[in-house]
Amino acid sequence: DDMWRKGRGNPLKGERNGRAKLTEAKVRGIRFLATLGRKHTVMGRQYGVTSTMIDQIVSRKSWAHVKDDLCAN
């Protein structure tokens, strides 16, 4: 549609979006804590987002562009 043809259809991802409440580092932390069994509701309160958002981050439906490179050398 017209928006894409005029170059306006590229939404800013992650922390480049001015309304983002999280950073890529926090997203990595959320995913790590989830592997340790931390409850999504607890993490949601800790990071100021909903437990639904935490679930979407953990399942990579949101912030999918963030790679988990905590163990990378």
Side-chain angles (χ1 to χ4, degrees):
D1 88 321
D2 185 57
M3 177 177 71
W4 291 97
R5 279 193 313 248
K6 292 183 178 179
R8 299 183 195 134
N10 190 10
L12 298 176
K13 289 183 180 180
E15 45 189 309
R16 289 185 177 187
N17 183 323
R19 299 181 72 181
K21 292 184 176 182
L22 301 171
T23 63
E24 290 186 6
K26 288 180 179 179
V27 168
R28 288 185 189 99
I30 288 167
R31 289 182 181 152
F32 176 73
L33 291 172
T35 66
L36 300 178
R38 179 77 56 94
K39 292 187 181 285
H40 292 189
T41 53
V42 172
M43 287 191 285
R45 276 189 240 112
Q46 179 182 349
Y47 287 98
V49 297
T50 65
S51 61
T52 301
M53 177 54 66
I54 299 293
D55 184 58
Q56 290 176 349
I57 290 168
V58 172
S59 64
R60 298 182 189 281
K61 292 179 183 171
S62 184
W63 291 81
H65 65 283
V66 176
K67 306 296 182 224
D68 296 334
D69 58 357
L70 291 174
C71 298
N73 291 332

